[in-house]
Amino acid sequence: MAIAGASAQSQTYVLDKGWEFSQAGSNEWMSARVPGTVHQDLLDHGRLPDPFYGMNELKVQWVEKEDWLYRTVFTVTADQLKSDAAWLTFEGLDTYADVYLNGSLLLKADNMFVGHKLAVKDVLREGENRLMIRFRSPVEETAPQWDTDGFNYPADNDHSEKRMSVYTRKAPYSYGWDWGIRLATSGIWRPVKLTFCNGAAIDDFFVRQQEVTEQVAKVDNQLEINNVISTPKEAQVKVVYAYGEQADTLTRTVVLQPGKNSLSMPAWIEKPHLWMPNGWGDPVLYTFTATVSVDGKEVASREEAIGLRSIRVVMEDDKDGKSFYFEVNGKPMFAKGSNYIPGDALLPNMTGERYARLFEDIRAANMNMVRVWGGGIYEDDRFYEEADRNGILVWQDFIFACTTYPHDPTFLKRVSEEAVYNMRRLRNHASLAMWCGNNEIYEGMRYWGWKDKYSPVVWKEMTEGYDVLFRQLLPELVAANDPGRFYMHGSPYEANWGRPESWKIADSHNWGTWYGQKPFESLDTEIPRFMSEYGFQAFPEMKTIRMFASPEDYELESPVMNAHQKASIGNFLIKKTMALYYKVPEKFEDLIYAGLILQGQGMRHGIEAHRRHRPYCMGSLPWQLNDSWPVVSWSSIDYYGNWKAMHYQIRRAFAPVLVD
């Protein structure tokens, strides 16, 4: 066990050593990474070919159909067992997982997006403690749900005969997408920690920003303190907030009742240093520290980096339709950004260094916003920390995309737990600008022909389910757990790229230059109030192609190139559009180069059109920023972090001052 951090009376250890894994039923145990995934562990032991290379994706699909076991042994001392409380915390289990400790079944997890804090003092033993987790196949687990439903949901990402991804609260993109490999993972994908506590613990510290102006910031420090002993106890609670040499302290003496205690400690900060978006000024972060002391000894502490700012999403009826823009610190902001997908098909491979580089690239391209798309994940804490430090606003989707979903009681319970957990985890971040219910579901229901595929009974269930999930449950949870944050039921709000009358209403996804096969000049006249998605594909550069293909594969329609081209019309459309502007090269390498130039010029054309129409149009977020594996896609940065021509053109188009 490695110590992660400690206060005078508590100790937290990260359980990241000594793990082993095995395929259920085999009794062959091999070393494992934690955090990690079973696919990565199999790769480490040479049991899988590189899924990113050639057509190896097809050779690794068996993994998702098996159950997997993970185990470790850790030591607990007699002194640690004397602690008032002990917790075992799992920050992320992917996805159906049974957790056993010393013969006790502690947990049956069923949601990748929820962390679990388990009281284990009565289960721990002096000396060796044995921890085992059984991960059940995500596809076999949900097969009975599909069988009893008797139909396929319109989950375009899931190309299986039985589309079971909708039943599972698991990253949708792991089942494949039109830019993504199918790797339906299992594993301990976020850290496991063991904590010993005496006296009290701070379970939550929410710095709620009630009003922020240049003159004053009114905040309410809301604490949840857990008194872990069985009797009331007098305690001193302090909140210190500081920036540079400026520091102030709030102090209160309270009697903590056994169990959960809620405490409010309001503060006014005169002439605050405001957190500013990239390009506007410094993204100033205050340090807020809460401590609890009992009998003169500090027993618990918690620290939060807080950017004081006001963010308002203005979506109002006006003479042109319905506006949509972000107002930061009282000033309208033209959103310059992109759409983010998970940075890796094997999520634990995303390191702090990779997140830091990602946001360097975002900031360098003069962006001030990134949209976390609803087919991926609620991102790692490090993602939002980097967004805070770099002045990048985050549009956060809840994790639903491109299909209708069930709304039975079990599913709604899972969604509720997931939403509350992630809102409480993320709500202190200055960068968090809004919550959006889903990606493109409402548009799909209205315009993609889904209604004609289902019986009236099933379709009625789907439409009712949309309202229950996105117009009732989620907005109620946002109001209760992240009050004051803007919520929108889905993106696009109402618009459709084939219906000009809808472009006047809130945000739009314009896929006319892709699915509509229109020239880039169409972006000059198809102007929405806010463009939250639009794009055009390009291959990555040749040095990336060499990472997944051999010279004999260097043909546009070779089996390997097609395996890395997930969009059905992709290669055809790249050549068709290229012919509108350039002579189409015959040599493969030249075609790749010309395609990169084409993509960059096209997206720059769109951004400049959107900026010309400010304030009618107040945002431009091309699809997409990044890749989760080496692939042909709409990205401006490839899987290995190389800028495509598109990212250079975005940097030019988003320059602070642009002469058109």
Side-chain angles (χ1 to χ4, degrees), residues 117-351:
K117 185 178 180 180
L118 309 175
V120 294
K121 178 174 166 58
D122 294 338
V123 183
L124 292 173
R125 300 168 178 168
E126 182 180 350
E128 287 190 345
N129 290 259
R130 299 180 181 278
L131 176 62
M132 178 178 285
I133 306 171
R134 183 184 183 108
F135 290 96
R136 305 189 303 280
S137 161
V139 293
E140 298 299 328
E141 184 73 13
T142 52
Q145 291 180 264
W146 187 93
D147 289 337
T148 53
D149 248 349
F151 62 87
N152 272 325
Y153 277 84
D156 291 339
N157 66 302
D158 189 343
H159 297 153
S160 303
E161 181 181 349
K162 298 180 179 181
R163 298 176 186 169
M164 292 180 284
S165 59
V166 295
Y167 302 106
T168 304
R169 295 313 299 148
K170 174 177 173 59
Y173 86 109
S174 68
Y175 293 87
W177 217 271
D178 58 4
W179 40 258
I181 187 173
R182 182 180 176 111
L183 286 179
T185 52
S186 292
I188 307 168
W189 75 291
R190 282 179 171 162
V192 182
K193 298 177 182 178
L194 178 63
T195 299
F196 297 97
C197 173
N198 286 303
I202 300 173
D203 286 344
D204 189 56
F205 180 21
F206 177 28
V207 183
R208 182 182 174 187
Q209 302 187 38
Q210 298 173 313
E211 180 183 349
V212 178
T213 67
E214 293 180 351
Q215 288 71 43
V216 65
K218 300 177 183 179
V219 303
D220 185 11
N221 298 282
Q222 299 178 357
L223 293 119
E224 288 185 6
I225 302 171
N226 184 4
N227 176 4
V228 299
I229 58 179
S230 58
T231 58
K233 194 70 176 179
E234 185 177 279
Q236 186 182 67
V237 181
K238 286 186 179 180
V239 173
V240 178
Y241 47 96
Y243 174 69
E245 297 181 357
Q246 174 189 343
D248 289 284
T249 303
L250 303 172
T251 304
R252 181 172 297 179
T253 300
V254 298
V255 176
L256 298 176
Q257 299 300 319
K260 177 181 173 181
N261 295 259
S262 297
L263 184 64
S264 171
M265 299 177 69
W268 284 32
I269 303 172
E270 303 289 343
K271 297 191 180 302
H273 301 275
L274 297 181
W275 183 90
M276 291 291 186
N278 184 36
W280 283 26
D282 294 329
V284 172
L285 295 173
Y286 283 71
T287 300
F288 278 65
T289 305
T291 59
V292 178
S293 298
V294 176
D295 297 331
K297 295 181 179 179
E298 180 183 304
V299 297
S301 67
R302 185 140 171 190
E303 183 176 288
E304 298 286 344
I306 302 296
L308 300 174
R309 82 291 177 267
S310 67
I311 298 177
R312 187 168 76 99
V313 180
V314 182
M315 190 167 71
E316 299 173 346
D317 293 336
D318 59 20
K319 63 181 180 61
D320 295 311
K322 187 182 288 291
S323 66
F324 188 93
Y325 65 91
F326 293 81
E327 182 185 271
V328 183
N329 297 328
K331 299 177 181 178
M333 184 191 83
F334 186 93
K336 301 186 289 186
S338 191
N339 287 265
Y340 177 81
I341 66 170
D344 207 295
L346 301 174
L347 286 165
N349 288 342
M350 285 298 294
T351 62

Side-chain angles (χ1 to χ4, degrees), residues 395 436-440 442 466 470 487-494 507:
W395 165 326
C436 179
N438 67 80
N439 175 77
E440 294 187 345
Y442 188 58
Y466 187 92
F470 304 116
Y487 171 85
M488 181 169 70
H489 71 85
S491 176
Y493 178 76
E494 189 170 327
D507 78 310

Side-chain angles (χ1 to χ4, degrees), residues 478-533:
V478 171
N481 292 278
D482 197 6
R485 197 90 60 186
F486 178 82
Y487 171 85
M488 181 169 70
H489 71 85
S491 176
Y493 178 76
E494 189 170 327
N496 176 263
W497 61 265
R499 292 166 171 78
E501 68 278 3
S502 71
W503 305 338
K504 301 177 180 180
I505 302 171
D507 78 310
S508 298
H509 296 186
N510 188 344
W511 286 101
T513 56
W514 188 254
Y515 296 109
Q517 302 184 31
K518 297 181 180 181
F520 296 128
E521 287 77 11
S522 65
L523 296 170
D524 291 329
T525 55
E526 297 182 359
I527 304 296
R529 308 306 300 272
F530 189 104
M531 187 74 91
S532 46
E533 274 193 29

